[in-house]
């Protein structure tokens, strides 16, 4: 075990069962662009901190080499906009969400202050609060990574945002998604959107609002809920089951309808060329059947 491995193990042990995420204020997120490397703490859930995997010294050395080669007037030009994505944490500092190897490289070259991008990911408390704010017993879940965010040229996408918004928001929504979401909202569904991406909830909410999709049910950094405490995970699952009788999951090529009380689930195919039209037609059919059975 190297000295750096021991340092990482010590950091993990120091904050084990003692740390949890905090919400950074809008002012802090806007103004804090660089912090001391000492204020950054490794994420114990990341492979970087796992003894069986650990940091890649090859990657760290490659970053160090780039930093040394690109150094000019005290600036590391090749990495200046490669901010380390972090989340404010208790009891101090920030937890690294993305950029562990760059953090290690910055320490090696002696850079005291490193560029950071502070975000507020969704946490369990946010989800509990969202469930409490819900007024409906029906929901739809949409995975942003699979359905919403598409690259220009590869898929049919919604019209690009106007200036200056297109300079801020680089993501592109699949064509017809606003119409599908509006249809669901009119039928009394809570619209839950999920992404594994490291986005602030506010960022996603503002982006969707620009496309006239209004929802407060947003889960970012969704992979953290795959590794969350099993008791908490079970509690969340029970709350969702208690709250929603009907759940519709919309994927890239399929729509899954689940009615808990009837123990019924149906899957429908969505075609790439007529994605939104297929979805709305299926939703109309579901709505008619649900209305007739009431």
């Amino acid at each position: 075990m190297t000295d750096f491995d021991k340092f990482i193990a010590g950091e993990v042990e120091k904050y084990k069962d003692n740390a949890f995420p905090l919400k950074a204020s809008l002012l802090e997120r806007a103004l804090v662009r660089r912090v001391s490397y000492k204020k950054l703490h490794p994420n114990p859930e990341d492979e970087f901190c796992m003894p069986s995997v650990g940091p890649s010294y090859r990657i760290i050395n490659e970053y160090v080499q780039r930093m040394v080669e690109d150094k000019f007037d005290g600036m590391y030009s090749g990495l200046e906009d490669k901010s380390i994505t972090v989340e404010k944490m208790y009891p101090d500092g920030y937890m690294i969400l993305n950029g562990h190897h760059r953090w290690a490289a910055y320490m090696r070259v002696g850079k005291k202050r490193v560029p950071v991008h502070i975000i507020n990911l969704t946490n369990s408390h946010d989800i509990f609060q969202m469930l409490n704010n819900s007024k409906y017993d029906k929901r739809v879940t949409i995975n942003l990574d699979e359905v919403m965010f598409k690259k220009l040229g590869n898929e049919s996408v919604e019209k690009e945002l106007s200036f200056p918004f297109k300079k801020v928001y680089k993501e592109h929504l699949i064509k017809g998604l606003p119409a599908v979401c509006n249809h669901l909202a009119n039928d009394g569904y809570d619209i839950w959107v999920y992404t594994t991406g490291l986005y602030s909830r506010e960022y996603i909410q503002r982006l969707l609002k620009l496309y006239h999709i209004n929802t407060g049910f947003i889960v970012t950094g969704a992979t953290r809920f795959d590794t969350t405490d099993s008791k908490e995970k079970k509690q969340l699952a029970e709350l969702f089951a208690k709250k929603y009788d009907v759940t519709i999951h919309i994927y890239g090529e399929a729509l899954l309808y689940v009615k808990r009380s009837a123990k019924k689930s149906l899957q429908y195919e969505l075609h790439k060329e007529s994605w939104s039209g297929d979805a709305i037609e299926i939703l109309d059919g579901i709505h008619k059947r649900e209305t007739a059975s009431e």
Side-chain angles (χ1 to χ4, degrees):
M1 179 181 286
T2 67
D3 288 341
F4 187 66
D5 288 330
K6 292 176 182 177
F7 167 72
I8 295 300
E11 281 284 292
V12 171
E13 185 62 31
K14 179 181 177 181
Y15 292 98
K16 182 181 179 182
D17 300 324
N18 185 42
F20 54 86
L22 297 174
K23 296 297 183 185
S25 68
L26 179 62
L27 192 63
E28 182 175 3
R29 285 181 283 132
L31 297 182
V32 178
R33 295 300 181 186
R34 279 179 171 73
V35 300
S36 167
Y37 70 87
K38 295 179 180 179
K39 286 190 174 183
L40 302 185
H41 308 296
N43 183 352
E45 301 294 339
D46 194 278
E47 289 185 349
F48 183 91
C49 297
M50 298 178 182
S52 59
V53 183
S56 167
Y57 290 99
R58 177 187 61 79
I59 295 175
I60 294 172
N61 289 334
E62 286 176 357
Y63 277 129
V64 168
Q65 185 176 353
R66 285 176 59 189
M67 290 176 180
V68 172
E69 290 175 351
D70 293 341
K71 189 172 182 180
F72 179 74
D73 287 343
M75 302 292 282
Y76 297 94
S77 57
L79 293 171
E80 272 304 294
D81 46 352
K82 299 287 187 179
S83 299
I84 297 173
T85 304
V86 301
E87 182 178 36
K88 190 173 183 178
M89 64 176 277
Y90 177 90
D92 62 78
Y94 304 90
M95 179 180 288
I96 300 171
L97 299 174
N98 182 269
H100 284 84
H101 289 92
R102 274 175 279 130
W103 169 63
Y106 280 130
M107 284 192 286
R108 278 201 177 183
V109 299
K111 191 169 177 68
K112 302 299 183 184
R113 295 177 63 79
V114 301
V116 296
H117 173 52
I118 304 171
I119 63 172
N120 288 335
L121 289 182
T122 308
N123 58 40
S124 299
H125 176 73
D126 295 325
I127 295 180
F128 290 135
Q129 195 169 43
M130 285 186 266
L131 284 167
N132 286 333
N133 291 338
S134 169
K135 299 177 181 177
Y136 302 114
D137 66 348
K138 300 187 294 183
R139 69 164 176 158
V140 60
T141 73
I142 305 175
N143 186 305
L144 277 71
D145 309 310
E146 291 183 6
V147 177
M148 288 191 171
F149 295 162
K150 298 295 180 181
K151 293 182 179 179
L152 285 173
N154 294 345
E155 303 278 352
S156 179
V157 298
E158 284 290 316
K159 183 179 178 181
E160 190 175 36
L161 295 171
S162 60
F163 182 84
F165 301 113
K166 65 181 181 181
K167 293 294 184 181
V168 178
Y169 303 101
K170 306 299 183 182
E171 297 78 12
H172 302 280
L173 271 61
I174 189 170
K175 191 172 181 62
L177 183 64
V180 172
C181 289
N182 183 66
H183 203 82
L184 286 158
N186 288 336
D187 283 347
Y189 282 84
D190 286 335
I191 300 171
W192 285 78
V193 294
Y194 293 81
T195 175
T196 60
L198 302 178
Y199 299 96
S200 288
R201 290 178 61 211
E202 299 89 344
Y203 177 92
I204 298 297
Q205 189 169 33
R206 289 194 297 267
L207 168 62
L208 296 180
K209 197 168 185 177
L210 288 170
Y211 284 99
H212 305 285
I213 300 173
N214 295 305
T215 180
F217 304 97
I218 298 167
V219 180
T220 61
T223 52
R224 68 166 49 186
F225 297 103
D226 295 332
T227 56
T228 192
D229 175 76
S230 58
K231 186 184 294 184
E232 189 177 64
K233 192 174 183 178
K234 183 180 179 181
Q235 187 180 9
L236 282 171
E238 289 173 349
L239 285 173
F240 272 109
K242 183 178 180 181
K243 178 65 183 176
Y244 296 111
D245 183 42
V246 172
T247 297
I248 292 176
H249 304 284
I250 298 182
Y251 305 103
E253 298 177 353
L255 183 152
L256 177 64
Y257 167 81
V258 179
K259 187 173 178 65
R260 181 177 52 80
S261 59
K263 297 182 180 179
K264 178 173 66 176
S265 65
L266 298 169
Q267 183 166 315
Y268 304 87
E269 185 178 2
L270 298 175
H271 299 92
K272 182 178 177 181
E273 301 77 14
S274 54
W275 185 89
S276 60
D278 290 349
I280 289 175
E281 184 178 346
I282 293 165
L283 293 171
D284 281 340
I286 291 172
H287 181 69
K288 288 178 182 177
R289 287 195 298 274
E290 287 295 325
T291 304
S293 65
E294 290 177 355

